[in-house]
Amino acid sequence: MRPVYMVSGGVSKFEKARPDATFQKMVKEAFDYAYGDLPKLKRETIDGSVASYFSDHFTRQLMAGIMATDYLGLCPKPNKRVEGGGATGGLSFQSGWEAVASGRMNCCVVFGFETMSRVQTWKGNEFIAHASDTNFDYPVGGFYSGYYAMMVNRHMHEFGTTVEQMAMVSVKNHRNACYNPYAQKRRKLTIQDVRDSQMVAYPLTLLDICVMSDGAAVCILTDEETAFKLTDKPVRISGVGTGTDFMRFADRPHGKVILAPNEKESDYGKLKYPGVHSFRAGRSAGLQAYKMAGIKDPIREIDFIELHDAYTSSEIQTYEDLALCKYGDGGTFVEEGHPFLPQIDYGLKLKKKGTIPINPSGGLIACGHPVGATGLMQAVFAFWQIQGRIRQHFGSGELQLKKADRGLIHSHAGTGTYVTVSILERGW
Amino acid sequence: MSPIVIKHPYTVEYLHSYGQDSPFFAGLANKRLLGTRCGGCRYTYATPRLHCANCGKETDWVELPQEGRVHTFTTCFFGSEAFLKETPFHLVLVEFDGADTLLLARLIGVENPEDIRIGMKIRAKFRRNSQLKPTDVYFVPA
Ligand SMILES: [Zn+2]
């Protein structure tokens, strides 16, 4: 395998509904932004593409990937569609990485989209719920927020996590998004606001949960030689990992914790793992990516993270999976202030603000979650962070981190069924 | 110009086959709760699967106890379209003695989420007229 770099990215603003554009047009907007941001890139340089979208139901169109490809003018070059629920974007990003790492392509465009406004929210929930076992899960509950609520109730029982700690994640991500013009929901909230909003699935409220969106995102990946020809600030993809787990969360086994390099067996006594309180796929993906990137102590060696916070609860669970803290300490981790940005006032008293900023962009909770675009959006925001060009792209530098040499992106599907982790770092 | 949006009905009668899971649903119609057990490694699945995920061998059908405990729970106040009219409803993952995995089911007979606690004993009840759905079994406080 050879080194792979990200050289450009683009995002269409995520919105509740974009009736003015079909998915092709939204992809084109993101593509043109990425293409326009890299003046030395010529269309002939592009060898092929990967299409990222989750559900054929949302487009009522099969083979939508090729329709975006032809709209972009990338025919007759190779293209394929990659799909894996909520992790579709992360999986596609890694598929683009594979195309370049293997030598099949020197330059690969990864584009993703979802047009979720085409149906009512409850019908959208149903389409999403079809990504749970339709023999045993969908017909009983038929609602992903319900599945995540069950998982966090066990997390609270097992570890003492509180709803206020979860609400702090929502306060953080909505507040960060105030400075991100691409975000769908930019709001200054208090813990009380989150708890007072409508109960969706106990104990998760409307403000603990991400929303459906229309949107698209594009990443352009190249080999080393092409990267340095096109830009003097290429971002290297230094680690990739992918984990899987049973689709039915009722099937999650009870065994021993898969240990991170900074952990030992005695840390966990009799903790049954992964249970429904933890995501084994996330731990597995993280450890693979850390190994490839040579990371031993993630919290010290990574500067920021864009992770899949479809729920405030899953953000807390993911801190633990990524070994930023011990299993069980995710609630305390947020309460102490570690995942907040040091420069932003959240209206909260935080003891250790900004150890490792998480979801500086606002995450899925505030940016929105047009599924096929989401994992690529994370890559674009991480790319801009590392290049130090947040001010240029966001029109304000509030979210630019002082040290952003190495970032992690994390994409997550099902009840933890597919998880991808990719490490991006300064390549120049 | 402003975009033209038209409505397009999109319905289909899908012939959903339970396939190798069919005996579970037949069991519910007969007020029996069936899981599977691997003859090789003895792993016992409360949500049945005909082949063992640990060793790949075909499993055998076994009858599960009709009493269990709440492993975790929620109350859904919102849902996907097909379930909206049923909200709010309670969901539980049930743990059974002698089974290694759990079963997702509805909990009936409690009012509020505050009335449910992890570890509470619950027992299976069966719908009088089977609909051949996993909701043919539901649980009530024991
Ligand atoms: Zn077995």
Side-chain angles (χ1 to χ4, degrees):
Chain A
M1 282 185 301
R2 52 185 192 155
V4 180
Y5 290 78
M6 180 163 171
V7 292
S8 196
V11 182
S12 78
K13 183 179 159 45
F14 289 1
E15 293 187 67
K16 188 171 193 302
R18 283 284 310 271
D20 65 296
T22 64
F23 61 89
Q24 299 102 308
K25 167 76 162 37
M26 283 179 234
V27 171
K28 175 71 171 155
E29 287 169 19
F31 175 78
D32 282 354
Y33 193 96
Y35 190 73
D37 195 36
L38 197 63
K40 290 184 187 162
L41 178 64
K42 299 282 171 283
R43 296 182 83 85
E44 309 83 85
T45 310
I46 299 168
D47 294 315
S49 59
V50 178
S52 167
Y53 58 103
F54 160 53
S55 176
D56 299 312
H57 299 313
F58 280 115
T59 38
R60 204 178 63 82
Q61 172 67 64
L62 303 184
M63 290 180 78
I66 192 61
M67 294 176 74
T69 308
D70 73 48
Y71 200 84
L72 296 179
L74 294 178
C75 296
K77 297 166 185 185
N79 171 269
K80 71 173 164 195
R81 180 241 185 127
V82 171
E83 191 279 317
T88 296
L91 288 165
S92 299
F93 183 79
Q94 295 188 347
S95 184
W97 174 86
E98 284 155 11
V100 176
S102 67
R104 184 182 182 193
M105 296 185 199
N106 291 328
C107 179
C108 179
V109 171
V110 187
F111 64 80
F113 63 86
E114 213 75 48
T115 48
M116 306 174 82
S117 72
R118 267 44 172 185
V119 294
Q120 303 285 9
T121 302
W122 40 92
K123 186 51 102 178
N125 273 313
E126 195 162 298
F127 289 166
I128 294 166
H130 281 125
S132 63
D133 186 318
T134 53
N135 274 10
F136 294 104
D137 289 350
Y138 171 74
V140 179
F143 190 35
Y144 256 96
S145 298
Y147 306 154
Y148 275 81
M150 297 175 85
M151 292 193 287
V152 77
N153 273 326
R154 188 70 200 187
H155 195 277
M156 292 164 75
H157 172 81
E158 203 80 45
F159 302 124
T161 313
T162 67
V163 291
E164 288 77 18
Q165 291 168 339
M166 285 150 57
M168 288 177 81
V169 172
S170 177
V171 171
K172 168 174 73 70
N173 295 358
H174 281 98
R175 187 81 184 105
N176 290 351
C178 290
Y179 306 101
N180 178 355
Y182 292 98
Q184 184 172 329
K185 287 168 73 200
R186 297 185 279 170
R187 296 173 69 179
K188 208 172 165 176
L189 299 171
T190 63
I191 291 174
Q192 202 56 45
D193 291 334
V194 180
R195 290 317 300 164
D196 288 347
S197 70
Q198 191 194 342
M199 188 60 73
V200 174
Y202 179 87
L204 297 173
T205 73
L206 203 57
L207 292 172
D208 282 305
I209 303 173
C210 71
V211 287
M212 292 184 208
S213 316
D214 285 359
V218 164
C219 296
I220 302 179
L221 310 183
T222 71
D223 69 316
E224 188 163 271
E225 195 186 328
T226 312
F228 282 95
K229 270 187 204 155
L230 295 173
T231 172
D232 52 4
K233 282 186 172 180
V235 167
R236 193 159 72 90
I237 303 161
S238 58
V240 293
T242 312
T244 57
D245 213 331
F246 294 116
M247 177 72 138
R248 300 191 304 227
F249 67 133
D251 291 352
R252 298 291 155 80
H254 289 146
K256 282 184 180 173
V257 176
I258 306 168
L259 295 176
N262 52 338
E263 294 177 333
K264 31 187 200 315
E265 204 160 309
S266 59
D267 293 340
Y268 293 117
K270 291 193 188 76
L271 177 65
K272 288 177 178 174
Y273 181 83
V276 297
H277 47 72
S278 303
F279 302 122
R280 177 169 60 162
R283 169 63 53 129
S284 172
L287 294 185
Q288 285 166 39
Y290 291 161
K291 194 173 175 196
M292 192 186 290
I295 294 169
K296 298 220 159 50
D297 191 355
I299 193 160
R300 287 194 178 77
E301 297 176 53
I302 296 168
D303 298 317
F304 71 94
I305 290 175
E306 292 283 351
L307 66 77
H308 193 100
D309 57 327
Y311 301 92
T312 54
S313 52
S314 58
E315 175 162 325
I316 288 177
Q317 289 163 300
T318 299
Y319 301 153
E320 302 172 358
D321 298 323
L322 294 179
L324 307 179
C325 58
K326 297 265 184 285
Y327 274 111
D329 290 349
T332 323
F333 187 77
V334 67
E335 194 170 317
E336 288 183 345
H338 299 281
F340 289 79
L341 269 69
Q343 66 267 33
I344 289 174
D345 178 16
Y346 296 91
L348 299 166
K349 280 196 195 108
L350 303 165
K351 272 191 291 186
K352 298 177 180 168
K353 196 161 105 177
T355 316
I356 182 162
I358 291 172
N359 286 321
S361 68
L364 280 56
I365 282 186
C367 291
H369 183 23
V371 182
T374 305
L376 301 174
M377 164 198 83
Q378 296 173 323
V380 175
F381 292 154
F383 172 75
W384 290 341
Q385 260 311 340
I386 294 167
Q387 285 195 325
R389 292 165 74 215
I390 287 289
R391 179 179 294 281
Q392 182 193 331
H393 295 290
F394 283 5
S396 108
E398 299 287 336
L399 300 177
Q400 181 65 56
L401 301 167
K402 270 208 183 92
K403 189 171 184 300
D405 291 342
R406 187 190 255 165
L408 180 154
I409 58 172
H410 162 275
S411 201
H412 173 118
T415 48
T417 309
Y418 285 120
V419 182
T420 73
V421 169
S422 305
I423 313 278
L424 279 67
E425 57 190 86
R426 196 184 154 104
W428 68 95
Chain B
M1 66 179 281
S2 54
I4 297 170
V5 178
I6 59 161
K7 288 191 176 168
H8 192 106
Y10 189 37
T11 56
V12 59
E13 183 141 52
Y14 186 78
L15 304 178
H16 186 96
S17 170
Y18 288 127
Q20 73 283 358
D21 297 332
S22 296
F24 173 82
F25 296 89
L28 296 185
N30 295 306
K31 301 191 177 357
R32 295 173 69 209
L33 200 49
L34 298 181
T36 56
R37 180 172 294 139
C38 176
C41 70
R42 309 301 292 165
Y43 203 82
T44 303
Y45 297 92
T47 312
R49 60 168 72 219
L50 198 64
H51 289 88
C52 177
N54 294 322
C55 68
K57 290 203 171 67
E58 193 168 317
T59 58
D60 300 313
W61 290 95
V62 290
E63 188 149 3
L64 294 169
Q66 298 204 351
E67 289 217 357
R69 292 170 302 277
V70 171
H71 184 76
T72 189
F73 69 97
T74 189
T75 305
C76 294
F77 295 90
F78 195 71
S80 61
E81 188 172 35
F83 301 94
L84 274 182
K85 57 186 183 304
E86 298 166 33
T87 59
F89 55 85
H90 309 295
L91 295 175
V92 288
L93 281 177
V94 191
E95 53 182 53
F96 299 97
D97 285 336
D100 295 292
T101 72
L102 307 163
L103 180 72
L104 176 65
R106 296 281 183 98
L107 179 67
I108 290 176
V110 295
E111 198 64 29
N112 301 304
E114 290 81 5
D115 304 331
I116 311 172
R117 59 188 172 72
I118 288 175
M120 91 188 237
K121 286 191 177 157
I122 48 179
R123 64 186 169 83
K125 288 193 75 159
F126 296 86
R127 214 196 290 247
R128 197 189 308 266
N129 296 311
S130 158
Q131 297 182 339
L132 296 172
K133 288 182 179 176
T135 41
D136 283 354
V137 64
Y138 57 92
F139 286 76
V140 296

